[in-house]
Amino acid sequence: MRFPLALTAKIAKHIIRHKVRRTPKFALVLQLEPLHTCNLTCTGCGRIREYSTNLKDMMSLEDCLASAAECEAPMVSICGGEPLIYPMIEELIHGLLGQGRIVYVCTNGMFMRKKMKDYLAGIYTAALEPTLARLLGEKLISEKDAETIRKGKTDDRPVIKPTPWMYWNVHIDGLEYTHDLIVEREGVFKECVEAIKMAKILGYQVATNTTVYKETDVKEIEDMFKFFSWLEVDGHTISPGYDYDAAKKDMVKRLAKRPEDFFLTRQMTREKFAKIQEWGQHFTIFGTPVYQEFLAGKRELTCTAWAIPTRNIRGWKAPCYLMTDGHYAGYQEMLEKVDWNKYGVVNGVARDSRCENCMVHCGYDPSGALGTNFKRGDNWKNFKYNFWPRPKRYERGQEVNAFNGVSVGKGHLAPAKAAIKEAAVSSETACGRGDTSQRDELLARIGKKEA
Ligand code: SF4
Ligand code: SF4
């Protein structure tokens, strides 16, 4: 089947239990943000711009675990910030798995290999040598790493082990050139691919998490699915980019870009996602077929943001992952105090102007699973999508030109370097002329990269 039976059964049981009890609103997925610190500064990320990214400002392990227990969501998506920076991440994953939850670790991929090397050190015996030999052969670890692994672990902290109940959910917004451009650093795509390869060798479940922006080329998204299907990634989350306030302000201030040049309107989303149902046939796309119909513009859905609540250092964030009108001390308190009828788009009319262009998965994917705007045949569609055989590995994915950026000398800093060179040449030849207005900024960016 497309998704693991035990996981599908757990979620179905949770929904049925609440439907039988007639619970009006309940959580399906908790978006847990233990901290907002990140090692990257991606274009379009509101988190690192809206909240403090100081490492002092983070949730305690106890608070994180209590939040999951409080809202009872069967799935917890640990995000941030970069969750692998959270000092107690191993204990957090361990604790959530101990509560019987399905755990997604949403990561930019930069520290994944480090965490997997810790795991190898934690379980090292001589029987692991063939695996180490394979990892060395594929250049996924170095000789020095292998030596460290052989010494074993020196503390008794837990490690992040492969289990069917956990996914690495790796942020990938395109092939190499595009992804590195969006995350504003070269080499990130390559590191993600190496981490994914290593994870698959070690038996972890891996998903990718993609945001589609206005400039995203649909053909590139298809190529990305083909490439990661060939790498045997277990699933993909894909969602349209949304111009929430913090991201919008950053775009104007820091990058001097107009948000409307970057983010999608509803109409544009429908155009970009016109083929999503077809992608769902060929690739393991997460999300219900009902949500896919919504993205493709074939039906309307009502926002159910309360089903994917966000908990962070300031409390339960309302109304949703994207917009912040307040923080509450408890999940139930948030459910009761927020006037949910103020949000979303109903029959094409935005109840709040900020919701107008929003079709993101954290607002509308649960609507598909919960039967909001139910139509005859929806249950069968959902059942069929989950229980039908999993799409086969796309063997020709290896032919995709995935490394089309810095690996082939086409990094996003290359034009910046060229601009500096040009400016330098022109000032040499024309004494003081030439456009050097952006030179300091470019130099700073290149310096940062080369540091
Ligand atoms: S990796 Fe995630 S949290 Fe970090 S800047 Fe990028 S989008 Fe934001
Ligand atoms: S439609 Fe829902 S998820 Fe989207 S911005 Fe509005 S409240 Fe948030």
Side-chain angles (χ1 to χ4, degrees), residues 36-49 79-83 106-108 171 182-183:
H36 291 112
T37 314
C38 190
N39 53 318
L40 297 181
T41 53
C42 305
T43 308
C45 173
R47 279 307 181 272
I48 56 166
R49 281 139 198 148
C79 29
E82 168 52 52
C106 297
T107 173
N108 59 40
H171 167 199
I182 288 176
V183 302

